[in-house]
Every structure is written in structure tokens, then in C-alpha cells.
Amino acid sequence: MYIKELPAYEGKEVTLRGWVANRRDSKGLVFINLRDGSGVCQCIAEAGKISENDFEQAGKLSLESAIELTGTVVKDERQIGGYEVHVSKLTVIQLAEEFPIAKKEHGIEFLMDNRHLWLRSQRQWAILRIRNTIIYSIHQFFQKEGFVQMDAPVFTGNACEGTTNLFETDFYGSPAYLSQSGQLYGEAMAMAFGKIYTFGPTFRAEKSKTRRHLSEFWMIEPEMAFYDIHQNMDLIEDFLHYVIRQVLDNCQNELKLIERDTSVLESSLKKFPRLTYDEAVAIIKGEKDVNGQNSIRSLEKELAEVEAKITELEAEIAEREARLAEPGMKKGEINFNQNKIATMKNELKDYEESRRNIPQWIESAKNFQYGNDLGGSDETVITRLFDVPVMVYDWPHEVKAFYLKRNPDNPRFARGVDVLAPEGYGEIVGGGERETNEQMLREKIIEHQLPMQDFEWYLDLRRYGSVPHAGFGLGLERLVTWLCKLKHVRESIPFPRMYGRLLP
RNA sequence: UCCUCAAUAGCUCAGCUGGUUAGAGCGAGUGACUGUUAAUCACUAGGUCCCUGGUUCGAGCCCAGGUUGGGGAGCCA
């Protein structure tokens, strides 16, 4: 019997098992917010309607104690789930020690140190359930489209894209690396099965300390024989539409809990604009407008709005602090004001960060060097102008991976495609059409200074029935982070592994 | 690797230009209260001011080096 099933049991007696999420008491009443993994429900123990011993136990329950209780389900509009339970019997399974995570706000370091306990909080519960829905819908989509799920190895002997930092391990005395992409194996499997997708962990030893990097993350990499770059983009769009639709349809409750404004998710069900690199650069530099909006001018406008907001917040904080300094304020009111000030100070920090960042974005946009890869700020500059993911394709071949095919009409460009998520979330997908010409690949492997002998098996694919093919890689955590509008990827995975974080 | 900000009670923070005995809220403990939603009210306990060295009559505050963490660049999904 789980809390989410309560509506079907109105007026009936049920037995629930779970943990104490919160407890309040007054003389003859104890209110217990019970959490059982499926949801939360208020349970009431009333003196006289329960044995004296059970009532005394109820009053002593500490946060996160494990209990079993029996009671009657009563409809009550005031409650979160719409129902509460009037307890007739209560058994303590374990009385918890003082729980480190209080009902107040905490700093991120403390929360990360207590990740194993933090997972129990409502917000984390909602985010990771959305993650689950995303994973499930990814499998549903590819399976219904006739893809075969295949797994690429985690230990690899070759660095598939070279250069980037790999985690090195010892494989029976030889160096081996933890996979940073299953892509090359995906191509081999696509030549055997037609359409495949891999879904597994990926490792990057980048000493990145940013809100969108993890050292261990999960990647979905479809690879399709007989697809060109345009079919690839069609698939990416259908795929993301499907996942977003599933999250909107199945996670209303969770989205509400994390206070996700879903308007951009709704608008992302539209067609995704497809820009060539050249068009994207023109937009970034402010040489081309989008829907009447100019990148540089809209940034300047936002900067002015941020400045105004900062002034406004500073004034309100000062005013509340002055009021607090005067005597005679009630304790509850002091508490309320202090919390309000703390919240506003956090908001202020965000705005101050924007105030520092925006001028840099403007500078970097104005001075963008044609031919370079897009940096984080360039991605933000471009995606701000859309309420839907944007696809950028046909990149200068020098900045992209060795295995991408050249545009036959203009070999300066490689047929790679990046999908940039709206709301400042940046790159969530990278992919493209693969080079089919063995000689071109050999030249590229030499150019990238990769060990040729490690790639002979890959070049075999071009010798035995080479066909046009394409694919892409989606970073699961980045998708979760965007769909939930999180500030940092570390909340999108149960136990994040990142620079400086290996425990818990 | 580089830039930048921070570290004070179990937690979140305040602590003015360097000045006597370092504060608040939450949490914990005790008590009051029959409908609370982070309940409320009263009282109690709780400190190696990150570490090492320096300046000074005097350092939580200034200086140097280090450690750990936040944000960002590069690189990427």
C-alpha cells in the first residue's frame, strides 16, 4: 500500500510504511508528514483515538524515523495529496538520530556532503523522478522507431576524439581509458543492425568547475545507416519532441513541485530552427536579426533591466534591515524578515553575476572570430533569442571531430550539428553525418595526431560496405537540467562525480 | 592550467576604520498550547573565528603562503 494510491481508499483503513518527513504537535494532537517514496501524506494521531503508548511514541518521533501506521483515509482539500490519514495504530521501526538536513536552507557543499540523505527531500525526489521519465521515454521512442539498443564498451584502448583528458586505468598491465564516447563502436553496430542506440556512462577527466560539467555522465548515442545530416536533424527533433511531450504529460505533479514554468517546454514542441554556422555567427555578431530582435541590443536592454533590479533589491533589503534594527518587532515577524532578506540576498547574487557576465557576452559576441567554435557565452547569446531549441550545422571542419563528413558542395564545412537548448542551457546534443571516404579519414587522423593503428578496425568499416550514415550524442544530465530548469547539473543525477567530488 | 569570490555555533549568516566577555535565526533539549503545513510562545545548552607564519601594545578583521569550496574561462554532452 503506497501513499499515491490513497484516493482509491477513501473512508477505508490502510497501513502505510515510511519515514517522518516532518512532525508538529500540540496538546492532544500530533501531525506527521509521512513520506514513503511514492508521495507524502499528513497523518494525525489524536489522543484518545489511539493507545496511550502509541500517542506518546508519536510525540517523540524524530525527523526521518521509520514507522508503520494504520488508520482511516479522510478526504481533506487542505492537504497536498487531497487526503489525510487518521491514525489508529503506530509502530516505530527505527527512531532516527538527529537528521543533519534541517527544514531550512543549506549551502551546496553541505548538501553535497549529505547527498545520500539529501535525495530524500521533495525537490530531489521530483527531479530524479523526472529523470526516470526521461530515461523511460528515450527507450520508448527508439524502440518504437525500430532501433536496437546496443552497448559500447567502457574500457577502451583508443582515444576516440583524442586530445581531451581521459581517465587512465590499468588493464592487465596495459593502459586503458574509460570511454568518453561510444560513437565509433556505434558506427560498427549500425553497419550490423541498421539503426542502433547506446545508453551508458561516459567519462571525461576535464578539470571543469562549471554548472554544466560532470566527470561521469550518461549519454544516449543513436547511429543510423543510410541517414544524411538532414534526416539526422529530423530525428533529433522528433526525438526531443517526444521526450518533452512525455515529461509534460506524465510529470505534472513533479514539475509543479519544483516550480518549473513549463511555457518554454510547450513552445519547444514547435519546429526547431536550423541555422548554418555562418547564419549563427551573423546573429551572434548582431549583423542579422531574429524575429525583430538583435543580439547585441537585446543584451544591452537586459543589462539595464538587471541594473534596475539590483537597485530595487538593495533598497528593499536596506529597508527591511532598518526595520529589524528597531526594537519591538515580534519574533515571528523577525524570523519572516530575516528569511526574506536571505532570499533577496541570494537573488541579488544572481543578478550581480549577470551584471558581471553580460558586458563580457557583449564583448565576446562583438569580437567573435569567424572560424572559431562557439563558446558558452556565444551559445547563450544566440539561444536567448529563441523559445525553442536551435540546431546549428555545417561547421568549419577544423573545429570539429575527425570523423565528420565534409559538405560535398563546400568542403570547408563539416556536417556536424549541435543542438542548443533555450533558457541559457547551451549544448545538449552534438552529432552529424560521418565521413565515408577512407582516405579523408586517414588524413584527418594524421592531422589530429592520433595513433593510426588503433583506428584500423574503424577504417575497416569504410572498406566493407561503407554507406552514408549519421548519428548524435545526447547528454542525459544536460537534458534533465534544462527540462527541470536546474541551476547546476549536479542535481540531475543521484550521485554526481565531478572535479573535487568522489564521495558519497 | 588560468581568472574571480568565499571559509565565524550542528545549519544559514551578521560582526563597522584593528580595541574589553564574538551575536542572530534555524536545529537540538525542557516546558506551554486540540487543526498544524518550515506551526507558535518561553527558557537552556552550544565557538580551535579553515591552517601556518607575519605586522601590531592588541588580529575574526591587515599581509604572505597553503587547504577546501562556489562561480567562470578553456574543453565539452
Side-chain angles (χ1 to χ4, degrees), chain A residues 95-107:
Chain A
L95 191 66
E97 292 176 25
E98 185 184 333
F99 197 64
I101 298 179
K103 290 175 275 182
K104 274 212 89 175
E105 57 185 285
H106 293 284

Side-chain angles (χ1 to χ4, degrees), chain A residues 283-313:
Chain A
I283 290 167
I284 289 165
K285 291 175 82 96
E287 292 161 359
K288 187 181 165 187
D289 290 2
V290 176
N291 306 324
Q293 274 191 294
N294 178 279
S295 66
I296 307 285
R297 280 197 300 278
S298 78
L299 278 171
E300 285 164 352
K301 195 175 142 211
E302 187 170 332
L303 183 59
E305 283 165 9
V306 165
E307 303 264 20
K309 196 77 198 173
I310 287 173
T311 315
E312 190 185 310
L313 273 171

Side-chain angles (χ1 to χ4, degrees), chain A residues 40-63:
Chain A
V40 181
C41 163
Q42 173 163 286
C43 304
I44 299 133
E46 191 173 346
K49 299 191 173 174
I50 180 174
S51 78
E52 225 167 89
N53 178 55
D54 283 7
F55 185 77
E56 200 187 317
Q57 297 282 315
K60 284 183 185 163
L61 286 174
S62 48
L63 280 191

Side-chain angles (χ1 to χ4, degrees), chain A residues 165-190:
Chain A
N165 308 319
L166 296 163
F167 285 104
E168 193 176 321
T169 63
D170 176 84
F171 191 79
Y172 307 116
S174 306
Y177 306 97
L178 298 186
S179 172
Q180 59 174 348
S181 165
Q183 138 97 56
L184 303 186
Y185 299 97
E187 290 185 44
M189 295 186 285

Side-chain angles (χ1 to χ4, degrees), chain A residues 350-367:
Chain A
D350 287 347
Y351 282 115
E352 281 169 349
E353 198 188 315
S354 299
R355 182 165 66 180
R356 282 192 301 273
N357 286 339
I358 294 173
Q360 289 172 20
W361 294 349
I362 294 175
E363 272 316 291
S364 122
K366 278 181 180 164
N367 301 326

Side-chain angles (χ1 to χ4, degrees), chain A residues 208-250:
Chain A
S208 298
K209 287 174 68 168
T210 80
R211 59 184 75 203
R212 51 182 198 286
H213 284 89
L214 291 170
S215 301
E216 176 183 297
F217 63 97
W218 288 72
M219 192 150 67
I220 296 91
E221 294 182 282
E223 193 71 33
M224 301 77 68
F226 304 106
Y227 268 51
D228 67 14
I229 187 171
H230 301 288
Q231 291 167 300
N232 195 19
M233 287 194 279
D234 291 343
L235 182 75
I236 293 172
E237 189 175 305
D238 289 347
F239 165 60
L240 286 174
H241 281 168
Y242 184 83
V243 174
I244 295 166
R245 183 82 264 165
Q246 292 299 310
V247 168
L248 285 172
D249 286 352
N250 297 305

Side-chain angles (χ1 to χ4, degrees), chain A residues 30 38 86 89 124 152 214 265 284 302 343 410 470 491 498:
Chain A
V30 179
S38 80
H86 291 204
K89 188 174 184 317
Q124 300 307 311
L214 291 170
L265 300 186
I284 289 165
E302 187 170 332
T343 311
N410 192 342
E491 283 184 61
M498 51 207 281

